Amino acid sequence: MSEVYRKLVDFFNLSDPNYIRFVRKYEAKTKKEIAFYLFIGLLPGLIAYVFIYPLREMIMAWTDLSAHYVQLYVLVLMSAGWHMLVPFLMLRYKDRLSFKESLVYLGFTRLDLKGLVFVFPILTILFTLLSLPYVKYVYPPFFEWLNGFPAFHMGEWHVFYQGYYDPAFPLPLLLIGLIGNFIGEEIYFRGYLLRKVGLLKFDWLWIAIIFQLYHMWQVPINWAYVPLAIMIPEEILVKLRKNIYGAILLHLFVNFLWGMINMYLVGVR
């Protein structure tokens, strides 16, 4: 049994002691530092919430933009601005890493074909199957309960219902938003913050929960998925394969295909 377990571990886990030593050199060393990185995981979501909920109508009056476009502009700025710039700036000016070293730190320098071709599909299929009971029986009432709070209520004006990927949105900004969403969030949460809080026990679970909580502008959706965070494998993929590409692919899968699969299998999206 131990031999089978070892082979299983070797199959899923990419061993790279040099990379582990490199990453650990720059991880947070104190509880105060760890708390700081957990906090800045939530901060962009809090800022987005303030602009999308309390300030939305004021911004609409100032700019003559629709509610839909106000939200899209806010989210583009947060995803492509904050998520992509903050990690590189922090790594450059706080940790004194070069741009190339930052790419190594964030997991961009190894294209892991085994992980993408074999490990990623296996974990994605397992996650999808294991999540079905939760999505069918727990998520809907949890969503409705959260959506009942006025501070969190997602009305028809909300970007989730209006559409995140509006083809009428200026093409350059749409592309920046897409890049910021699928690459920027992965850089920020799984590339940067996950490695910064590496001393935390269950660091992957902490970041998985922080990622859901950070979506404060759509609390009923993402907060209802917090209990499911234990089986969402983006952080696990990064820790196992020592690169960020599998997490980016899984993010694309969840946003574009997972909901459709859930709708087909259990009638809930």
Side-chain angles (χ1 to χ4, degrees):
M1 181 62 71
S2 60
E3 181 65 18
V4 173
Y5 176 76
R6 186 187 63 78
K7 289 183 178 180
L8 195 63
V9 169
D10 290 342
F11 175 80
F12 283 99
N13 182 58
L14 177 63
S15 179
D16 190 343
N18 291 331
Y19 179 74
I20 294 298
R21 282 194 294 270
F22 171 68
V23 168
R24 286 182 175 170
K25 182 179 177 182
Y26 300 100
E27 66 188 6
K29 300 298 191 294
T30 67
K31 291 181 180 179
K32 185 176 180 179
E33 289 178 339
I34 290 172
F36 168 76
Y37 288 110
L38 294 177
F39 170 71
I40 66 170
L42 297 172
L43 185 57
L46 177 60
I47 294 172
Y49 172 85
V50 169
F51 279 96
I52 288 175
Y53 276 80
L55 299 182
R56 181 187 72 257
E57 292 185 354
M58 185 185 302
I59 296 171
M60 290 168 60
W62 286 347
T63 62
D64 288 328
L65 290 171
S66 66
H68 188 197
Y69 272 42
V70 167
Q71 295 170 86
L72 287 175
Y73 277 113
V74 168
L75 294 175
V76 165
L77 287 172
M78 295 310 299
S79 62
W82 184 293
H83 292 151
M84 298 188 75
L85 290 178
V86 168
F88 282 102
L89 290 174
M90 292 287 283
L91 290 171
R92 178 67 186 94
Y93 294 104
K94 182 179 184 299
D95 298 315
R96 303 299 179 184
L97 296 182
S98 67
F99 180 70
K100 183 177 180 179
E101 289 171 328
S102 296
L103 290 176
V104 173
Y105 184 92
L106 296 170
F108 277 106
T109 55
R110 176 190 285 114
L111 185 59
D112 172 31
L113 292 179
K114 178 183 176 182
L116 296 177
V117 174
F118 297 106
V119 178
F120 165 74
I122 291 171
L123 292 182
T124 301
I125 292 169
L126 284 174
F127 158 65
T128 301
L129 294 176
L130 291 173
S131 68
L132 290 176
Y134 182 90
V135 171
K136 181 174 177 62
Y137 297 109
V138 181
Y139 173 79
F142 202 174
F143 170 90
E144 293 299 335
W145 179 70
L146 289 168
N147 204 36
F149 290 90
F152 302 148
H153 181 70
M154 294 169 55
E156 292 183 2
W157 55 267
H158 198 278
V159 65
F160 180 79
Y161 299 116
Q162 296 293 320
Y164 274 103
Y165 313 113
D166 185 352
F169 198 57
L171 182 59
L173 289 176
L174 180 62
L175 293 175
I176 292 171
L178 288 170
I179 292 170
N181 184 8
F182 299 112
I183 298 179
E185 285 189 342
E186 295 308 319
I187 288 174
Y188 192 63
F189 288 95
R190 283 90 190 195
Y192 182 65
L193 295 180
L194 178 62
R195 291 172 170 89
K196 283 296 181 181
V197 300
L199 285 180
L200 270 179
K201 191 174 183 179
F202 302 117
D203 54 345
W204 59 273
L205 183 56
W206 277 94
I207 296 301
I209 293 172
I210 289 289
F211 179 73
Q212 299 301 332
L213 294 178
Y214 131 86
H215 286 80
M216 296 180 195
W217 68 92
Q218 52 183 40
V219 162
I221 295 174
N222 286 84
W223 287 20
Y225 282 129
V226 167
L228 201 61
I230 193 170
M231 65 177 70
I232 299 176
E234 281 158 306
E235 289 78 14
I236 296 172
L237 270 168
V238 171
K239 287 185 71 69
L240 287 176
R241 305 309 301 177
K242 316 301 187 292
N243 70 82
I244 202 170
Y245 295 108
I248 293 172
L249 281 181
L250 186 59
H251 200 147
L252 286 163
F253 168 80
V254 168
N255 279 38
F256 289 116
L257 297 177
W258 186 61
M260 290 189 288
I261 293 171
N262 288 335
M263 178 62 71
Y264 178 76
L265 294 177
V266 298
V268 178
R269 183 167 185 171

